[in-house]
Amino acid sequence: MKRRKYVLAVLMLAGIMALGGCADNKKSGKDNGDKTAKENVVEGEQIKEGELDFKVEDYVTLGEYKGLSVEYPVPEVLEEDVEYAVQELLEENTEYKEIKDRPAKEGDSVNIDYTGVVDGEAFDGGSDSDYDLVLGSGDFLEDFENSLVGKNTGETVTFPVTFPEEYFDSEMAGKQAEFTVTINKINEVVVPEYTDELVAEVTAYKTTEEYEDYIRGDLMASSQEESISAAGEEALGKAVENAEVNGYPQGLYDFYYEETVGGYQFYASLMGMEYDEFIAEMGEDAVKDAAEAQVQEYLVAQAIAEKEGLIITDKNYQEEAKALMEQYEIENEYEYGSMEEFEEDYGKTSIITQIVRQKVLDLLYENADVTEVSQDEYYGDGEEVEGETEEGDGEEGSEGEKDPEGEGAE
């Protein structure tokens, strides 16, 4: 399986569906009425190949799954998110002009080769080549970046760097390393001014005001999808709680076990950790527990899909899979050459389970008893959100473990 599949596996493990469409507007069961199987009759035989070759009624007795009480975090757009999008536009149009007549200074981008050793021994993530680093960015430790200021193209320098006591990699915390760095190239970073002229030149909008209105609309649409997804996930969780699940098909469990391992391996790599180290922190039963939870959730989703006529057949599979592929391409800016390539990347079972799960999420949401709450009420107050963000930053920073001199702040 390819890396892109593991990205999705991580999202699924977190209870988030990155793919698939959501309802356009928030609806409650009272407003929308009760959707029944009669409205969703599908012609053809349900696909039951490989891991999906089982009778769901052998394992699941459904409980209540309509009219479930769920919370819907009211979508909102923060101005800081608009500002972030503007900064992304500027970064996309930033120019890099090679400098040959002066040494590097703060704000320049330097292309470097570097090797780090501790007690004369190289360490994991301590070396790289052809790496672009903006001096003063904080991507690497301050002492590392400062040691390159004032140096010229072609120059090689050696200097010590002491890792902080609270460094994210506990094995390197507090240790002193020696780095040898060669500067291959120096580029001046020229960031454009944010003006109407720039916006008109590089976007479909004529002014900064028009562009920011577009950003707010796009962010609001994303926020609405996230809120619908959150409410749908809550409804599915309650549907699972209300159902009676006895056992599971071994093939389906094996499928989700493999998906879980792949997702955890990918997530471990993002954190700069070995898989075994990651699992040790998660707990020895982490993979088993996560796989079993996903199996139970899918079995309930499949039972609901069959009862409501939302099954996937040979007749509707191609259309549904194509829609999923197109949605993935839009969200991830990646284009598949064909449906065969998409299937090769994900596997038919994974595609079908994603489609079924999303259809059930939509149905549960549309028939739920929805209560609107604020973002703070739903996700917690500012302190909790801030704490989660800091933890997330640490994980993102760990992605660059090959650059252990970095603080992990991007």
Side-chain angles (χ1 to χ4, degrees), residues 179-246:
F179 286 94
T180 299
V181 183
T182 298
I183 298 179
N184 302 317
K185 183 188 293 186
I186 301 172
N187 285 317
E188 181 182 3
V189 181
V190 183
V191 181
E193 185 179 355
Y194 182 54
T195 62
D196 291 344
E197 290 73 20
L198 174 70
V199 168
E201 180 181 351
V202 300
T203 76
Y205 305 92
K206 296 181 180 180
T207 66
T208 57
E209 182 178 0
E210 286 183 8
Y211 180 64
E212 289 171 19
D213 286 343
Y214 151 73
I215 292 173
R216 290 187 184 91
D218 191 55
L219 290 173
M220 178 57 73
S222 296
S223 183
Q224 288 172 337
E225 289 183 2
E226 290 170 4
S227 295
I228 290 171
S229 178
E233 293 286 350
E234 184 181 350
L236 179 56
K238 290 187 175 184
V240 173
E241 291 177 1
N242 293 340
E244 182 180 341
V245 181
N246 295 306

Side-chain angles (χ1 to χ4, degrees), residues 71-301:
E71 291 184 335
Y72 173 87
V74 177
E76 65 179 16
V77 174
L78 302 178
E79 282 305 303
E80 61 192 57
D81 293 330
V82 177
E83 293 171 6
Y84 181 82
V86 170
Q87 288 304 313
E88 284 189 320
L89 177 72
L90 298 181
E91 289 176 7
E92 290 169 2
N93 291 278
T94 292
E95 296 181 6
Y96 295 84
K97 296 183 178 179
E98 185 174 359
I99 300 297
K100 297 182 178 180
D101 58 353
R102 65 165 174 79
K105 65 180 181 179
E106 186 170 318
D108 285 341
S109 174
V110 292
N111 181 275
I112 59 175
D113 301 333
Y114 64 89
T115 301
V117 296
V118 174
D119 297 329
E121 297 290 333
F123 56 93
D124 289 342
S127 303
D128 203 353
S129 59
D130 196 31
Y131 189 92
D132 292 316
L133 169 66
V134 176
L135 301 180
S137 65
D139 287 349
F140 287 14
L141 291 178
E142 184 177 2
D143 287 348
F144 186 102
E145 295 188 11
N146 287 345
S147 296
L148 302 182
V149 173
K151 305 303 186 291
N152 293 286
T153 299
E155 190 171 351
T156 298
V157 293
T158 299
F159 50 85
V161 170
T162 300
F163 289 87
E165 292 291 344
E166 297 182 355
Y167 193 63
F168 73 85
D169 183 353
S170 58
E171 292 186 6
M172 298 302 298
K175 291 185 179 180
Q176 185 178 77
E178 183 177 79
F179 286 94
T180 299
V181 183
T182 298
I183 298 179
N184 302 317
K185 183 188 293 186
I186 301 172
N187 285 317
E188 181 182 3
V189 181
V190 183
V191 181
E193 185 179 355
Y194 182 54
T195 62
D196 291 344
E197 290 73 20
L198 174 70
V199 168
E201 180 181 351
V202 300
T203 76
Y205 305 92
K206 296 181 180 180
T207 66
T208 57
E209 182 178 0
E210 286 183 8
Y211 180 64
E212 289 171 19
D213 286 343
Y214 151 73
I215 292 173
R216 290 187 184 91
D218 191 55
L219 290 173
M220 178 57 73
S222 296
S223 183
Q224 288 172 337
E225 289 183 2
E226 290 170 4
S227 295
I228 290 171
S229 178
E233 293 286 350
E234 184 181 350
L236 179 56
K238 290 187 175 184
V240 173
E241 291 177 1
N242 293 340
E244 182 180 341
V245 181
N246 295 306
Y248 47 74
Q250 187 62 42
L252 187 66
Y253 172 82
D254 292 342
F255 164 75
Y256 276 114
Y257 190 93
E258 182 183 351
E259 291 282 284
T260 303
V261 170
Y264 281 175
Q265 286 174 336
F266 180 71
Y267 197 51
S269 71
L270 292 182
M271 298 180 68
M273 300 172 67
E274 295 295 328
Y275 176 71
D276 291 343
E277 179 187 2
F278 179 83
I279 291 300
E281 291 195 6
M282 293 287 293
E284 62 179 354
D285 293 329
V287 176
K288 174 178 174 292
D289 292 344
E292 287 182 348
Q294 290 182 87
V295 169
Q296 284 198 356
E297 184 183 79
Y298 181 74
L299 286 173
V300 172

Side-chain angles (χ1 to χ4, degrees), residues 363-392:
L363 180 135
L364 295 181
Y365 171 77
E366 290 166 358
N367 289 282
D369 180 10
V370 178
T371 300
E372 293 186 347
V373 296
S374 69
Q375 294 275 328
D376 284 347
E377 287 178 289
Y378 191 87
Y379 294 107
D381 58 28
E383 290 185 5
E384 291 178 358
V385 172
E386 181 178 356
E388 290 171 5
T389 301
E390 290 172 357
E391 181 180 352

Side-chain angles (χ1 to χ4, degrees), residues 333-351:
E333 298 181 357
Y334 180 89
E335 184 173 353
Y336 283 97
S338 64
M339 179 59 65
E340 288 73 20
E341 182 184 345
F342 184 58
E343 285 187 348
E344 181 182 355
D345 201 17
Y346 282 90
K348 192 169 183 178
T349 296
S350 181
I351 293 171

